[in-house]
Amino acid sequence: MNLSARTPERATIRLTRRLCVERQPCPQPVMTRIVRFALHTLASAGLMFLSSAHATDIDCDPSATPASATQAQRLICESALFSMGYQRIYADQQRLLKARVITEADIAAFRKKRDRCNSASCLDTVFRDWNAFASRARTP
């Protein structure tokens, strides 16, 4: 009699094959489950990012951009860094507005400052000022 046929590993393999043949759920290796979970997580994160990408007051779609778009709006749409920064600011504004920490007037003042910008350095300053204002507004 072959001793290797009696090892626990071989018995497990035979049991697994028998279960799979009998159409019962086959146990999946842990790595497969981890990879599947990671892919689902990435897909979910990607969908959330896509849905939030157009949730601002600035529409960067070239076919939808009006001729009256300000220089600041063009700068935001043309720069990935400004676009991502503005999306974060917009989401932050909506959270603070919902929590009644800021008012619509605060957002209107920010947009007025933003729309007056004609350069990247001006936009950078306005974004930095907003982040400082939001930090002060959050602290009780």
Side-chain angles (χ1 to χ4, degrees):
M1 184 178 279
N2 188 355
L3 293 178
S4 63
R6 292 183 176 224
T7 62
E9 292 172 0
R10 294 225 185 237
T12 303
I13 292 170
R14 269 190 268 119
L15 177 62
T16 302
R17 284 183 186 153
R18 191 175 72 221
L19 290 174
C20 293
V21 170
E22 293 172 1
R23 299 198 187 266
Q24 294 179 2
C26 296
Q28 295 180 355
V30 174
M31 207 52 189
T32 304
R33 284 183 269 161
I34 291 172
V35 169
R36 187 179 304 145
F37 177 75
L39 288 174
H40 285 293
T41 304
L42 285 173
S44 298
L47 289 174
M48 285 190 305
F49 176 74
L50 286 175
S51 67
S52 67
H54 297 289
T56 65
D57 63 316
I58 297 176
D59 188 3
C60 291
D61 181 14
S63 63
T65 304
S68 63
T70 65
Q71 178 65 22
Q73 291 174 347
R74 282 190 217 101
L75 285 170
I76 290 170
C77 289
E78 291 171 2
S79 166
L81 287 175
F82 281 136
S83 180
M84 290 172 54
Y86 185 68
Q87 288 174 17
R88 278 190 229 111
I89 287 173
Y90 183 84
D92 193 31
Q93 288 173 340
Q94 297 307 306
R95 276 192 301 274
L96 293 172
L97 189 63
K98 189 175 182 178
R100 297 185 180 178
V101 175
I102 63 170
T103 64
E104 287 284 350
D106 295 324
I107 295 174
F110 166 79
R111 289 180 182 168
K112 188 174 180 181
K113 275 185 182 178
R114 176 203 69 196
D115 290 342
R116 278 187 282 175
C117 285
N118 289 322
S119 68
S121 62
C122 177
L123 266 180
D124 191 41
T125 302
V126 170
F127 285 12
R128 197 172 332 114
D129 290 348
W130 169 262
N131 288 328
F133 171 78
S135 294
R136 287 190 307 271
R138 278 190 207 97
T139 57

